[in-house]
Amino acid sequence: MLACLPRLRRYARALLAGDAAAADDLVQDTLERAWQKLASWQRSDDMRPWLFGIMHNLHVDQRRRPALDTVELDESESHQLAAPPLEHGVLRDLESALRLLAPEQSEVLLLVVLEEMRYEEVAVTLNIPLGTVMSRLSRARERLRMLVDGKDERPATPLKVVK
């Protein structure tokens, strides 16, 4: 479990757009849940996909929770917190482009590219079919390419689940 810690932290930070405090909280929650559910881990299996699956489920649960009440800032303070404007609509860095991907696409992309997981491991981790992993990855790469080239500035739209 401890050997997976650096990868869990790296993935959590990428998933949460560099918010170190939130990423550390997610890793801590993941390890706590894993410790509680250690009996459900098959010792013959690699622990990494199991841990990433726990992290994924916790992250999805956190995204589904209603947002906390917020307090409006003074107009004089808001200009300090605004993101810098983009020149000519072109995204300046990859991190900004990743934020514009749908969460389902960025999760798959990060697991494959950043964590170097095989498609089968990603499918197990996210509890989705292998074909879904491949199509989300393909769409994520294409959209990322368009974003970096400045050809697409649409906000991310999460996938709609049909029941």
Side-chain angles (χ1 to χ4, degrees):
M1 194 178 293
L2 290 177
C4 295
L5 192 57
R7 288 179 175 258
L8 288 169
R9 290 187 77 217
R10 181 175 60 196
Y11 178 61
R13 285 189 179 193
L15 200 58
L16 296 169
D19 184 349
D24 288 344
D25 288 345
L26 180 59
V27 171
Q28 181 176 341
D29 292 345
T30 299
L31 294 176
E32 181 182 347
R33 177 79 51 92
W35 189 256
Q36 291 171 352
K37 306 285 184 184
L38 192 58
S40 68
W41 173 57
Q42 302 295 324
R43 297 215 183 268
S44 61
D45 293 343
D46 183 12
M47 184 176 266
R48 189 173 62 139
W50 181 70
L51 287 170
F52 277 86
I54 292 172
M55 179 178 281
H56 167 74
N57 292 334
L58 286 170
H59 179 65
V60 168
D61 289 346
Q62 290 171 358
R63 278 197 334 233
R64 288 182 183 157
R65 279 190 205 125
L68 297 174
D69 291 335
T70 58
V71 177
E72 290 288 325
L73 295 175
D74 289 322
E75 290 292 324
S76 61
E77 294 176 13
S78 65
H79 73 279
Q80 297 170 354
L81 302 175
L86 298 174
E87 292 181 16
H88 309 292
V90 177
L91 294 173
R92 302 207 102 207
D93 61 23
L94 188 58
E95 186 177 351
S96 296
L98 279 171
R99 286 190 208 136
L100 292 175
L101 291 177
E104 297 83 5
Q105 293 175 358
S106 64
E107 289 167 348
V108 171
L109 183 71
L110 290 170
L111 288 173
V112 170
V113 176
L114 184 66
E115 295 305 323
E116 300 176 347
M117 286 182 145
R118 295 186 336 264
Y119 293 177
E120 295 84 6
E121 291 175 321
V122 174
V124 168
T125 298
L126 301 180
N127 195 27
I128 57 176
L130 182 60
T132 303
V133 170
M134 292 167 34
S135 66
R136 286 183 186 176
L137 181 61
S138 174
R139 282 185 265 127
R141 285 177 171 161
E142 181 59 30
R143 179 120 195 268
L144 196 58
R145 191 174 300 115
M146 291 175 68
L147 287 166
V148 170
D149 290 344
K151 297 177 183 174
D152 185 354
E153 295 180 19
R154 298 175 288 133
T157 53
L159 298 175
K160 295 179 182 176
V161 179
V162 179
K163 294 183 179 181

